[in-house]
Every structure is written in structure tokens, then in C-alpha cells.
């Protein structure tokens, strides 16, 4: 279970500006790990990818909290998931 309070405490401790910079760093590392795993899907690269995904989620959760945007982000995510599901449904019907 994710300790949301601990993540929020970390976010408040460092503040929005530092965590925005850290989020960029972690997201870049996640992108690089995805590329490494896609090129060479080894156990080592899989473990590194999982770690980078976890870091990215933690930073995104902190940024969302610091911006007071949890409801807005969840609303937009739901909309985007629904929209893509409808696109897939149309593709399947057209096939």
C-alpha cells in the first residue's frame, strides 16, 4: 500500500519548484529505462525499468498533490481512457 501521507510530507518538505525539477529528471530516467528494456529485454533492464517507473509515479503523485490537481488529473485521465476505448471499439467494428 502506498503511504500517501509520506509522499505528501516529502512533497511539502522539498516544495513545488524542486519537485518539478526532480520530476523531469525521474521521467527522463524512466524514458531511458523503457528504451533500454525495449532494445534488450533482460532481467537487469526489467528491474531497472520497474525502479524508474516507481520513481516516476512517486514524483507524479507529488506534483499532482502540490498543484492541488488530484481531481482534475483523475477527471482528464478518465476522459482520455474512455476516448481511447471508443477508438479501439470503432477499430474493431471496422475490421
Amino acid at each position: 500500500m502506498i503511504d500517501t501521507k509520506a509522499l505528501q510530507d516529502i512533497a511539502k518538505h522539498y516544495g513545488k519548484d524542486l519537485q518539478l525539477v526532480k520530476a523531469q529528471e525521474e521521467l527522463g530516467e524512466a524514458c531511458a529505462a523503457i528504451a533500454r528494456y525495449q532494445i534488450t529485454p533482460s532481467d537487469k533492464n526489467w528491474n531497472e525499468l520497474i525502479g524508474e517507473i516507481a520513481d516516476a509515479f512517486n514524483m507524479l503523485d507529488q506534483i499532482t498533490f502540490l498543484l492541488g490537481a488530484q481531481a482534475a488529473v483523475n477527471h482528464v485521465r478518465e476522459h482520455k481512457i474512455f476516448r481511447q476505448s471508443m477508438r479501439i471499439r470503432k477499430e474493431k467494428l471496422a475490421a
Side-chain angles (χ1 to χ4, degrees):
M1 186 80 165
I2 302 301
D3 187 344
T4 303
K5 183 179 179 335
L7 272 178
Q8 291 175 351
D9 289 345
I10 293 165
K12 287 188 271 188
H13 175 79
Y14 290 108
K16 182 176 66 172
D17 290 337
L18 284 176
Q19 293 309 77
L20 285 168
V21 171
K22 185 67 173 174
Q24 292 176 70
E25 176 188 323
E26 294 298 349
L27 291 167
E29 290 175 6
C31 287
I34 290 167
R36 280 192 303 275
Y37 181 75
Q38 193 169 25
I39 292 166
T40 309
S42 65
D43 288 345
K44 177 182 180 277
N45 287 342
W46 186 86
N47 288 326
E48 289 177 7
L49 175 58
I50 296 306
E52 295 303 339
I53 289 171
D55 288 342
F57 270 113
N58 286 341
M59 293 312 303
L60 290 171
D61 285 346
Q62 289 180 59
I63 296 304
T64 302
F65 165 73
L66 289 167
L67 296 174
Q70 295 99 323
V73 168
N74 286 337
H75 175 75
V76 172
R77 287 182 71 196
E78 288 171 2
H79 171 74
K80 288 177 176 272
I81 290 167
F82 176 78
R83 185 180 64 198
Q84 190 62 34
S85 294
M86 291 298 102
R87 288 178 183 149
I88 291 169
R89 186 179 206 179
K90 286 179 184 176
E91 288 174 13
K92 287 181 178 180
L93 289 173

